[in-house]
Amino acid sequence: MSENTIPSSLPLRNDLIGEEPYGAPQLDVPVCLNVNENPYPPNPDVIDTIVERVRDIAPTLNRYPDREHIKLRQAFSDYLAKESGARLDISQLWGANGSNEIMLQLFQAFGGPGRTALSCDPTYSMYPEYARDTFTGWKVVHRNADFTLDVDRTIEAINDIKPSMVLLTSPNNPTGTPLPLEDTERLLAACEQADVSGAAPGVHPILVIDEAYVEFRNPGTPSAVTLINKHENLAVSRTMSKAFAYAGARVGYLAASKGIIDSVRIVRMPYHLSAVTQAVALAAFEHTDEQLSRVAHLREVRDQTAAWLKRQTYKGVPLQVADSESNFLLFGGHFDNRERIFQELLDRGILIRVVGPDGWLRVCMGTDDEMARFREALAEVLRIVEAQ
């Protein structure tokens, strides 16, 4: 949407004038590697269960759904116990329409006028929009050159800025960088001692860890959900969009202390999670192993692609590839015309993403055939662009 499509006679908020809606390009091309989806669809058994569960609840659609989605919250609990070894009570879990809604609810509950959210860039581009939409201040601390977190500088900023929320992504988007658990614990300790600007004495910031891509982490790496029972100011956001191959279902969830969950419940819309959404999510959890069966392969593809990219050059210099424990790679580092590289790939039917710091591009892992086509196209495009 361009600015001109909104008539100046409409009383749009002053701070929104000239803004455009967030969204990665949605183009009908043969190879879509731009929005970090799982390229493999649900298998037939999962589809059959989805149809069965939706058919079961269809006669009840004249009634409102379970506002507290108790069965689904129990499914979240069972899954996290299996996946991360952390058993949480359903009072410590909450579902929503994608982790985007989870994040917005957190900003609604803990942000607002006079409050500030702190993050470390580069990071997910929607976070400052959540801040804007809730009239929350937005501050960032720059990451290290290798995109790891500068923990000391972040703690210093927590004490100086006195935010109500500290928001970090692990693995980070758009870089794929993991946040070691020991760094999370240091940040939690800082938050537990820090003040919140404008709040009453004894109020401390919450630390939000966005684990949208956590299932793609290297085996043996612990999740931040293992710390929830020890820290009442920790919130961990998860999604079924990525590893579960459920982007179209729009299911996200929050793991946190009961206090944080109850805070979110204050701002949630009534009956925000439809009966159909709840049924579809429960169907996926009945087939957890099948839904996650491609994760290990995508992890291997990521590592193989990273190794291949590091062997490529642009203007005589090897490409840089950010260390990643997600299902995508940030690569380049010294592209002086990344938009042209993007367009040349698009002209060949390959859609990736212009995102992150200047000089970098991001590619999501696709099927084996899609990745072969990406490699072939990129090798050709680099030679064309560097010659001009």
Side-chain angles (χ1 to χ4, degrees), residues 227-284:
L227 301 175
I228 286 172
N229 285 323
K230 300 177 183 177
H231 299 276
E232 65 178 13
N233 64 329
L234 172 63
V236 181
S237 174
R238 290 278 192 112
T239 184
M240 298 181 74
S241 294
K242 310 302 181 180
F244 266 87
Y246 244 38
R250 310 307 302 129
V251 183
Y253 56 106
L254 178 67
S257 65
K258 184 177 184 299
I260 290 177
I261 299 299
D262 285 345
S263 299
V264 167
R265 290 174 63 238
I266 292 173
V267 300
R268 63 101 169 93
M269 296 295 288
Y271 309 104
H272 71 294
L273 208 55
S274 78
V276 173
T277 299
Q278 294 182 47
V280 169
L282 287 168

Side-chain angles (χ1 to χ4, degrees), residues 31 33 36 49 61 74 91 125 127-128 161 199 224 290 302 332 344:
V31 181
L33 305 174
N36 304 339
T49 302
L61 291 180
Q74 185 61 56
S91 65
S125 58
Y127 295 156
I161 295 170
E290 296 97 315
R302 175 198 70 203
E344 290 285 349

Side-chain angles (χ1 to χ4, degrees), residues 75-145:
F76 294 148
S77 177
D78 294 341
Y79 171 68
L80 289 176
K82 178 180 179 181
E83 192 271 340
S84 295
R87 172 58 74 178
L88 301 177
D89 187 77
I90 62 170
S91 65
Q92 297 172 291
L93 293 156
W94 183 251
N97 294 283
S99 57
N100 297 98
E101 187 177 33
I102 289 292
M103 288 296 169
L104 182 59
Q105 289 174 341
L106 287 168
F107 271 84
Q108 289 173 316
F110 298 103
R115 298 288 181 90
T116 300
L118 175 69
S119 190
C120 297
D121 67 339
T123 192
Y124 183 37
S125 58
M126 273 300 297
Y127 295 156
E129 296 199 18
Y130 302 141
R132 177 201 67 191
D133 293 346
T134 56
F135 301 97
T136 306
W138 177 251
K139 297 290 185 180
V140 294
V141 175
H142 298 312
R143 290 174 174 265
N144 296 319

Side-chain angles (χ1 to χ4, degrees), residues 186-238:
R186 286 187 62 196
L187 293 163
L188 278 167
C191 287
E192 288 166 347
Q193 297 299 317
D195 297 325
V196 172
S197 180
V203 174
H204 307 295
I206 66 167
L207 176 63
V208 182
I209 305 294
D210 184 347
E211 290 192 340
Y213 302 93
V214 73
E215 281 93 350
F216 295 101
R217 69 194 185 278
N218 294 334
T221 303
S223 162
V225 298
T226 59
L227 301 175
I228 286 172
N229 285 323
K230 300 177 183 177
H231 299 276
E232 65 178 13
N233 64 329
L234 172 63
V236 181
S237 174
R238 290 278 192 112

Side-chain angles (χ1 to χ4, degrees), residues 308 312-315 319 331 335-350 352 361 373-388:
W308 179 85
Q312 309 311 302
T313 62
Y314 178 71
K315 297 191 174 180
L319 301 186
F331 68 97
F335 291 141
D336 52 8
N337 194 349
R338 63 177 179 174
E339 288 81 8
R340 177 66 188 282
I341 295 172
F342 166 85
Q343 187 60 51
E344 290 285 349
L345 287 171
L346 184 58
D347 291 344
R348 289 159 177 77
I350 313 294
I352 63 171
L361 291 165
R373 296 176 68 175
F374 163 74
R375 293 191 299 270
E376 179 182 2
L378 182 65
E380 177 185 3
V381 165
L382 291 178
R383 302 290 77 81
I384 292 173
V385 176
E386 69 182 358
Q388 297 177 349

